[in-house]
Amino acid sequence: GRLFGILILILGVLINSIIISLISNWFFSFQSSKQRGLKPIKLKDHVLICSDDISFILSLIAENQNFVKDQNVVVISPTQDHPLIGTKYEKIPWVAGNSYQTNTLRKASAKYAKIAYVICSDDTKTVMTVMQLENLTDGKIITQARYVEISYAKHLNNVGCDYALNPYDIYVPLMVQSFMSQGAP
């Protein structure tokens, strides 16, 4: 009887420890995938920011504070870690990957997004991202993209970009704002 009781006690402890370790592993992998930008995001009527430039991501978030307060902003960035880590916006959901890839856009619920800002360092990636967004949403999304070379303005308009912006149109207001505020913008 004692031997049977000890055996049942050991089996009970083993089964409980296995169950607890499985639950903790599942929770850790869930949190880890969320922190690495691998978890799909389920939102509607949100703002999508597709960029590899952290300073532009921060400036776009600053301009869309209403969406940030409502937790309706998603960032797509090809970085390894959350692009906003160490800032007050590090809780904003993000998806890791190239924004011109359909799978990445699907993880960010791009089909249901309201507005998309596309700012890539390479104009071809910007054009491909806008094209994918327009195809995925059947042209319902409002896309705003920045190009570096003037020749890409035509390409952006051809793929259905709603607002193709010249960097000059972006940088001059930022410089004026920094001059007027007498501080770091």
Side-chain angles (χ1 to χ4, degrees), residues 2-20:
R2 288 181 185 170
L3 186 60
F4 182 71
I6 291 172
L7 183 65
I8 294 296
L9 183 67
I10 291 172
L11 284 176
V13 169
L14 285 175
I15 289 173
N16 282 335
S17 64
I18 288 172
I19 290 171
I20 289 171

Side-chain angles (χ1 to χ4, degrees), residues 90-140:
E90 66 186 357
K91 295 202 187 267
I92 289 178
W94 78 291
V95 175
N98 293 313
S99 57
Y100 56 85
Q101 293 177 332
T102 308
N103 290 336
T104 305
L105 292 172
R106 284 192 179 124
K107 279 184 189 176
S109 295
K111 184 175 184 177
Y112 306 108
K114 186 176 191 175
I115 303 167
Y117 297 101
V118 183
I119 300 172
C120 298
S121 57
D122 182 6
D123 284 340
T124 57
K125 291 179 182 178
T126 301
V127 172
M128 289 189 307
T129 300
V130 171
M131 182 177 64
Q132 291 285 18
L133 285 166
E134 294 292 338
N135 285 335
L136 195 63
T137 63
D138 296 325
K140 294 177 184 172

